[in-house]
Amino acid sequence: RVDRRQRQMCIRDSYCSYQGGTWFWSSFQQWAEWSKNSVNSKVKIYLGLPASSFGASGGYIPPDELATVVTRLRSQYPDVFGGVMLWDASWNQNNVVNGALYADSVAKILQAN
């Protein structure tokens, strides 16, 4: 039984990274559909992102853009979207955005929405 699915949104594959535009939303939709057929109907999908633009070849979403993405995910997938998962801690520690660590910015976004 799966309780949580922490989905890395493909840093090497533009088809499901956020930079892929409609492909990102299509990929998330497919995972949402998967969750409906899961043994655990309350399974949550987490958006997996690199904690810095330097930490991956793609997939990093700046906090201002991420706020929009989280709002849309919560609106379109309220029963499925579980939150955001970041990797890795060292990238986060070296990514200060507007005076805050990236993870702190993400936490504020999740608390506000």
Side-chain angles (χ1 to χ4, degrees), residues 50-97:
S52 169
S53 61
F54 301 109
S57 60
Y60 175 76
I61 305 175
D64 56 337
E65 283 183 61
L66 183 58
T68 302
V69 172
V70 166
T71 298
R72 183 171 171 187
L73 286 170
R74 282 202 167 141
S75 172
Q76 286 186 267
Y77 308 101
D79 297 330
V80 176
F81 179 64
V84 176
M85 180 274 303
L86 300 175
W87 81 91
D88 88 9
S90 64
W91 294 344
N92 176 65
Q93 292 300 313
N94 292 299
N95 187 15
V96 176
V97 182

Side-chain angles (χ1 to χ4, degrees), residues 6-27:
Q6 292 175 243
R7 176 72 179 109
Q8 175 183 331
M9 294 309 283
C10 304
I11 60 173
R12 293 177 187 85
D13 184 350
S14 64
Y15 292 113
C16 55
S17 72
Y18 181 68
Q19 288 77 13
T22 57
W23 289 104
F24 168 86
W25 297 105
S26 175
S27 179

Side-chain angles (χ1 to χ4, degrees), residues 25-38 41 43 45 76-77 79-81:
W25 297 105
S26 175
S27 179
F28 203 93
Q29 174 64 35
Q30 289 174 5
W31 282 106
E33 290 299 321
W34 167 85
S35 72
K36 290 178 184 176
N37 298 319
S38 175
S41 63
V43 67
I45 309 294
Q76 286 186 267
Y77 308 101
D79 297 330
V80 176
F81 179 64

